[in-house]
Amino acid sequence: MLRTSGLAIAGTALSAGFPGIAEAADGADFTGRTSYDAIVVGAGLAGLTAARELRKKGRRVLVLEARGRIGGRTWTDTFNSWEIERGGAWVDPLQPHVWREISRYNLTIVADQGPERVLMPTPGGFTESDPVAAYTRQGELFTPFFDGSREYFPKPYAPFTREDLITPLDRFSLRDRLNQLAYSPADELRMTSTTGLYGSPSSRGSMLQLAQWWALAGWNYTGFSGVNTYRLAQGTIALANAILADGQPDLKLNSPVASVTQQPGRVKVVTRAGAAYTAAEVIMAVPVNVWKDIAFSPALPRAHRDATAQGYGVPRQRKLFLDLATPSDRFIAEAPEGSPFVIMGRLNDDAPVVAFSVDGTLNVADRAHVEAAVRQILPSATLRDYTVSDWEADEFSRGGPAFRQPFQLTRLHKAINQPFGPVKFCADDLALGWIGYMDGAIESGLRAAGSATLSPTPGTAPTGRVAMPAVDRKVYRSVFGL
Ligand SMILES: Cc1cc2nc3c(=O)[nH]c(=O)nc-3n(C[C@H](O)[C@H](O)[C@H](O)COP(=O)(O)OP(=O)(O)OC[C@H]3O[C@@H](n4cnc5c(N)ncnc54)[C@H](O)[C@@H]3O)c2cc1C
């Protein structure tokens, strides 16, 4: 049975225990206040971070959130008896902003157990191997893909350091790079699971985007593939709640913003329900993909309009959790681009299988269709139950995590990071570093609030009080894709 279309459901009420939170979109101001120093639109990690930083500076801050929950593209939920993450899940010490927040709030990290076996595609079907062997080979295949990235991204958090070098490279898609390197058909099959997942399809995704992640991870496959190993023991919601509790902004849930109007000396923000608020400044902490749904007056600058028209959030991305009766072991299976699922796996004992699809023809509402898709990879699989989150269908994200397209770095990135008068923008889409990750959302939120960000040497982790289990990163491989 399809448990939920995921995003149509408001999720757990998160307001309990937080003063200043109103859940009803009734147009009434729960504090009686309609005028603030700052209004933050969106209670994802970027918005919550920006709101906390402004509160620390003594500002009166209102957060307007469209959904009935905080967290945005992170969403800790349950599926049968399991706790699941419908959106972002994994964090890593190589991601300094999210790691600093985890340390600040003393949150506990757990590592996935990782797969016991790996299925990789070959021209003749799937082949099974030991995880270390499989990912050693993946490392050999991916390393040349990023040749030159130390030169063109010498400072991964400052992507324009060698603008002269990245400008001519920004036209390349992931597909262009695969073609350029002329991998054998067998080798290329092993790579398009990754490029297809992020690019959706490979011809859409920017080569430089993947190369910047490679640089941020220390220019090596161990870092690149390892950033999807650790999770928050209490779920991503623990992080969102901690930031909210620390900042204590006023928060209104179920309050989608319809319009943002600049007036002399102030900005007026009106929700779909007609509630109006004003502030000296507004921080739009919503995905780039939804800017087009909000009426800005005056109209957004050209670069912002181009960005929202083109899209940043990965299209067609669906994340499913599958309750499979068989197989019951820990595995990861990667499938070539064009497959209904490009990657799926069970990473822990007694856990559901998590699967990613960017195939728009997969009918996730049809149980038989989903089971048939699973059986393309695992012919003897038996599907008991599943649940799906369709991030593109969700009107408040209109896509998955950000992944740039060719030309967006050099033609749009700087411009869309610029304030538009008193209106500023933040989201993972706008990150200088880990675009498409929680780290990028937090970094962007810090910048929008005028707070300091971190830019460590790649490969070094910031220190903190985080409980870190000892693990051999080489045997781990997460299903987020790399
Ligand atoms: C399937 C999936 C898997 C992922 N896996 C990982 C991972 O493993 N690790 C990782 O680090 N990252 C991962 N990510 C990415 C990560 O979740 C995001 O980068 C991050 O959560 C984005 O935060 P944000 O605050 O920028 O945007 P969002 O979280 O999208 O927050 C924006 C907020 O704005 C609200 N909003 C939208 N429109 C309006 C409006 N009109 N009015 C008011 N509010 C509005 C939204 O409801 C939302 O709460 C994943 C994402 C997805 C979708």
Side-chain angles (χ1 to χ4, degrees), residues 441-458:
I442 292 166
E443 173 233 302
S444 175
L446 289 168
R447 281 191 292 111
S451 299
T453 60
L454 300 166
S455 181
T457 309

mmCIF file of all heavy atoms in Angstrom, residues 441-458:
data_model
loop_
_atom_site.group_PDB
_atom_site.id
_atom_site.type_symbol
_atom_site.label_atom_id
_atom_site.label_comp_id
_atom_site.label_asym_id
_atom_site.label_seq_id
_atom_site.Cartn_x
_atom_site.Cartn_y
_atom_site.Cartn_z
ATOM 1 N N ALA A 441 22.950 24.826 2.975
ATOM 2 C CA ALA A 441 21.800 25.602 3.447
ATOM 3 C C ALA A 441 22.203 26.452 4.653
ATOM 4 O O ALA A 441 21.882 27.638 4.740
ATOM 5 C CB ALA A 441 20.650 24.661 3.803
ATOM 6 N N ILE A 442 22.928 25.836 5.574
ATOM 7 C CA ILE A 442 23.334 26.559 6.790
ATOM 8 C C ILE A 442 24.336 27.667 6.445
ATOM 9 O O ILE A 442 24.217 28.798 6.922
ATOM 10 C CB ILE A 442 23.899 25.554 7.816
ATOM 11 C CG1 ILE A 442 22.770 24.649 8.321
ATOM 12 C CG2 ILE A 442 24.589 26.278 8.978
ATOM 13 C CD1 ILE A 442 23.223 23.421 9.077
ATOM 14 N N GLU A 443 25.290 27.338 5.598
ATOM 15 C CA GLU A 443 26.274 28.353 5.176
ATOM 16 C C GLU A 443 25.572 29.554 4.547
ATOM 17 O O GLU A 443 25.875 30.719 4.839
ATOM 18 C CB GLU A 443 27.254 27.719 4.173
ATOM 19 C CG GLU A 443 28.227 28.671 3.525
ATOM 20 C CD GLU A 443 28.212 28.575 2.013
ATOM 21 O OE1 GLU A 443 28.456 27.470 1.467
ATOM 22 O OE2 GLU A 443 27.953 29.604 1.371
ATOM 23 N N SER A 444 24.619 29.255 3.695
ATOM 24 C CA SER A 444 23.897 30.326 3.006
ATOM 25 C C SER A 444 23.075 31.156 3.993
ATOM 26 O O SER A 444 23.020 32.393 3.899
ATOM 27 C CB SER A 444 23.002 29.674 1.942
ATOM 28 O OG SER A 444 22.194 30.609 1.321
ATOM 29 N N GLY A 445 22.456 30.481 4.964
ATOM 30 C CA GLY A 445 21.681 31.192 5.981
ATOM 31 C C GLY A 445 22.557 32.103 6.829
ATOM 32 O O GLY A 445 22.170 33.222 7.172
ATOM 33 N N LEU A 446 23.754 31.623 7.151
ATOM 34 C CA LEU A 446 24.694 32.449 7.923
ATOM 35 C C LEU A 446 25.062 33.701 7.134
ATOM 36 O O LEU A 446 25.076 34.813 7.672
ATOM 37 C CB LEU A 446 25.969 31.640 8.230
ATOM 38 C CG LEU A 446 25.837 30.499 9.244
ATOM 39 C CD1 LEU A 446 27.089 29.622 9.218
ATOM 40 C CD2 LEU A 446 25.607 31.046 10.648
ATOM 41 N N ARG A 447 25.358 33.531 5.866
ATOM 42 C CA ARG A 447 25.757 34.684 5.050
ATOM 43 C C ARG A 447 24.623 35.683 4.929
ATOM 44 O O ARG A 447 24.835 36.898 5.004
ATOM 45 C CB ARG A 447 26.232 34.224 3.674
ATOM 46 C CG ARG A 447 27.666 33.691 3.696
ATOM 47 C CD ARG A 447 28.231 33.483 2.306
ATOM 48 N NE ARG A 447 27.567 32.411 1.599
ATOM 49 C CZ ARG A 447 26.767 32.556 0.550
ATOM 50 N NH1 ARG A 447 26.532 33.743 0.061
ATOM 51 N NH2 ARG A 447 26.212 31.509 -0.036
ATOM 52 N N ALA A 448 23.409 35.187 4.731
ATOM 53 C CA ALA A 448 22.273 36.109 4.569
ATOM 54 C C ALA A 448 22.066 36.946 5.825
ATOM 55 O O ALA A 448 21.627 38.096 5.756
ATOM 56 C CB ALA A 448 21.004 35.319 4.244
ATOM 57 N N ALA A 449 22.403 36.355 6.977
ATOM 58 C CA ALA A 449 22.236 37.089 8.236
ATOM 59 C C ALA A 449 23.474 37.901 8.590
ATOM 60 O O ALA A 449 23.526 38.523 9.649
ATOM 61 C CB ALA A 449 21.920 36.103 9.362
ATOM 62 N N GLY A 450 24.470 37.867 7.724
ATOM 63 C CA GLY A 450 25.674 38.648 7.967
ATOM 64 C C GLY A 450 26.604 38.023 8.978
ATOM 65 O O GLY A 450 27.421 38.715 9.597
ATOM 66 N N SER A 451 26.514 36.710 9.166
ATOM 67 C CA SER A 451 27.376 36.029 10.136
ATOM 68 C C SER A 451 28.517 35.318 9.427
ATOM 69 O O SER A 451 28.457 35.041 8.226
ATOM 70 C CB SER A 451 26.564 35.013 10.947
ATOM 71 O OG SER A 451 25.539 35.680 11.654
ATOM 72 N N ALA A 452 29.520 34.974 10.214
ATOM 73 C CA ALA A 452 30.728 34.382 9.628
ATOM 74 C C ALA A 452 30.473 32.943 9.180
ATOM 75 O O ALA A 452 29.713 32.199 9.798
ATOM 76 C CB ALA A 452 31.855 34.394 10.657
ATOM 77 N N THR A 453 31.137 32.575 8.116
ATOM 78 C CA THR A 453 31.084 31.187 7.646
ATOM 79 C C THR A 453 32.476 30.582 7.789
ATOM 80 O O THR A 453 33.448 31.280 8.033
ATOM 81 C CB THR A 453 30.640 31.101 6.182
ATOM 82 O OG1 THR A 453 31.574 31.832 5.387
ATOM 83 C CG2 THR A 453 29.255 31.679 6.005
ATOM 84 N N LEU A 454 32.546 29.283 7.617
ATOM 85 C CA LEU A 454 33.811 28.555 7.732
ATOM 86 C C LEU A 454 34.303 28.184 6.345
ATOM 87 O O LEU A 454 33.518 27.902 5.458
ATOM 88 C CB LEU A 454 33.611 27.277 8.551
ATOM 89 C CG LEU A 454 33.116 27.479 9.979
ATOM 90 C CD1 LEU A 454 32.629 26.165 10.554
ATOM 91 C CD2 LEU A 454 34.228 28.058 10.832
ATOM 92 N N SER A 455 35.598 28.165 6.194
ATOM 93 C CA SER A 455 36.157 27.767 4.907
ATOM 94 C C SER A 455 37.461 27.019 5.166
ATOM 95 O O SER A 455 38.536 27.513 4.900
ATOM 96 C CB SER A 455 36.417 29.006 4.052
ATOM 97 O OG SER A 455 36.930 28.624 2.812
ATOM 98 N N PRO A 456 37.345 25.822 5.721
ATOM 99 C CA PRO A 456 38.541 25.116 6.140
ATOM 100 C C PRO A 456 39.290 24.509 4.963
ATOM 101 O O PRO A 456 38.776 24.432 3.849
ATOM 102 C CB PRO A 456 37.989 24.008 7.019
ATOM 103 C CG PRO A 456 36.660 23.726 6.406
ATOM 104 C CD PRO A 456 36.147 25.026 5.872
ATOM 105 N N THR A 457 40.486 24.084 5.239
ATOM 106 C CA THR A 457 41.237 23.350 4.236
ATOM 107 C C THR A 457 40.525 22.027 3.991
ATOM 108 O O THR A 457 40.189 21.334 4.936
ATOM 109 C CB THR A 457 42.651 23.047 4.764
ATOM 110 O OG1 THR A 457 43.198 24.263 5.227
ATOM 111 C CG2 THR A 457 43.519 22.443 3.690
ATOM 112 N N PRO A 458 40.280 21.658 2.754
ATOM 113 C CA PRO A 458 39.604 20.390 2.508
ATOM 114 C C PRO A 458 40.358 19.237 3.161
ATOM 115 O O PRO A 458 41.574 19.216 3.202
ATOM 116 C CB PRO A 458 39.642 20.258 0.987
ATOM 117 C CG PRO A 458 39.789 21.635 0.501
ATOM 118 C CD PRO A 458 40.600 22.361 1.532
#
